[in-house]
Amino acid sequence: MEKIKVAVIGATGAVGQVFMWMLSNHPWFELSYVTASAARVGQEYAQTVHWVMPFEMPEEIKKMVVKEFNYKSMKEEGVRIVFSALPAAVAQEAEPQLRSQGFYVFSNAAAMRYDSNVPILIPDTNVEQLDLIREQGYPQTGFCVTNANCVTTGLAMALAPLRKFGIKTITINSYQSVSGAGYPGLSSFDITDNCIPFIKGEEEKIEKEVKKILSINPDVYAYTVRVPVMFGHLETIWLDLEEDVELEDIVDAWNNFKEVQDLPSTPKQPIVYSDEPTFPQPKYAFWGDPKGMVVYTGRLKKKNGKIGFCLLVNNIVKGAAGGSIQNAEAFVSRYGIK
Ligand SMILES: NC(=O)c1ccc[n+]([C@@H]2O[C@H](COP(=O)([O-])OP(=O)(O)OC[C@H]3O[C@@H](n4cnc5c(N)ncnc54)[C@H](OP(=O)(O)O)[C@@H]3O)[C@@H](O)[C@H]2O)c1
């Protein structure tokens, strides 16, 4: 198949860098257009970016030139899909415009997540919500598909196979890495040798998004904490379920969970459980194939009828850019490109 031309907007930030890395050699998508803020226009990517990934920058992207954020030039370049890693305030204006210009927008920003005709897509859990793009006017117009907030992505993944047991309440505490705040993000004065028990808007996002993604309506009790870790969000979770399930039922549900087949960015096993007592840890954030796309669970236990466990999600890969790429793959696989 001829590759589909794609753009990354916000390509120099933490999420943008993952897009650049994952799209540098993608079997379906050709990285054709890259933007950042105006001051970088005309500069080569490798010269201007502050690369924070824990591996080398791919050769293919080093000499790409950062271009002006201009719809006409993007169209002339043949771009069909736009991956957005813009801050929410910028995305709020840019993304509806991109959509009305006919682009297929896959966004990480929260700006459009709560619009009733915009899916918060995690193809493993709710691929049918892709059909909401028709309510935005597709195929006559473009559309916008968002992915969830990074903590919610891990949570929704681990809960999707457990929906069948009836989820009554979710109590979640998160231990979130600094890359979740973007680059340069937090001041090192604030986060070195410290934890910060407040992340603005995060707890509200978890509650709203998990309900929309999984079409469930549990009570949600969340605390979110920033910790001095580079990549990967750890979460501890307690659930009240309607059914009285055994721990083996939970492990079986995770092990057998694979709702989307044959997308290039979908791991063979999207949720991996281990009963190793110190598993999982953020230092495994880039494990898996593709790297960073697996959600790891562990520490499973049952007490007074409640089910408890830990999970690890790579916030910038599965929880952000990788999730968006998987969303675009799910769209191409379901609708093709017209
Ligand atoms: N980090 C995560 O784990 C994570 C997870 C899920 C979702 N998200 C969401 O994903 C989005 C990107 O997050 P991030 O962490 O990558 O942020 P970031 O590191 O701050 O990167 C923002 C990017 O947007 C560009 N940009 C900023 N203002 C712009 C403007 N006015 N016009 C054009 N480009 C502009 C920046 O370019 P310059 O470098 O030139 O300034 C940079 O490339 C946010 O909406 C965030 O909430 C992040």
Side-chain angles (χ1 to χ4, degrees), residues 87 211 216 228 236:
K211 291 179 179 177
I216 55 176
T236 56

Coordinates of all heavy atoms in Angstrom, one line a residue, residues 87 211 216 228 236:
P87 N 0.0 22.0 23.3 CA -0.7 22.3 24.5 C -2.2 22.6 24.3 O -2.6 23.1 23.3 CB 0.0 23.6 25.0 CG 1.3 23.8 24.2 CD 1.0 23.0 22.9
K211 N -15.2 7.1 32.5 CA -16.6 6.8 32.3 C -16.9 6.9 30.8 O -17.7 6.0 30.3 CB -17.4 7.8 33.1 CG -17.4 7.6 34.6 CD -18.2 8.6 35.3 CE -18.1 8.3 36.8 NZ -18.8 9.3 37.6
I216 N -19.1 3.2 31.4 CA -19.5 2.7 32.7 C -19.8 3.9 33.7 O -19.4 5.1 33.3 CB -18.4 1.8 33.4 CG1 -17.1 2.5 33.5 CG2 -18.3 0.5 32.6 CD1 -16.0 1.7 34.1
P228 N 9.6 12.0 41.4 CA 10.8 12.3 40.7 C 11.3 11.1 39.9 O 12.4 10.5 40.1 CB 11.8 12.7 41.8 CG 11.3 12.0 43.0 CD 9.8 11.8 42.9
T236 N -1.9 2.6 41.7 CA -2.4 1.5 42.6 C -3.9 1.7 42.6 O -4.4 2.8 42.7 CB -1.8 1.6 44.0 OG1 -2.1 2.9 44.5 CG2 -0.4 1.4 44.0

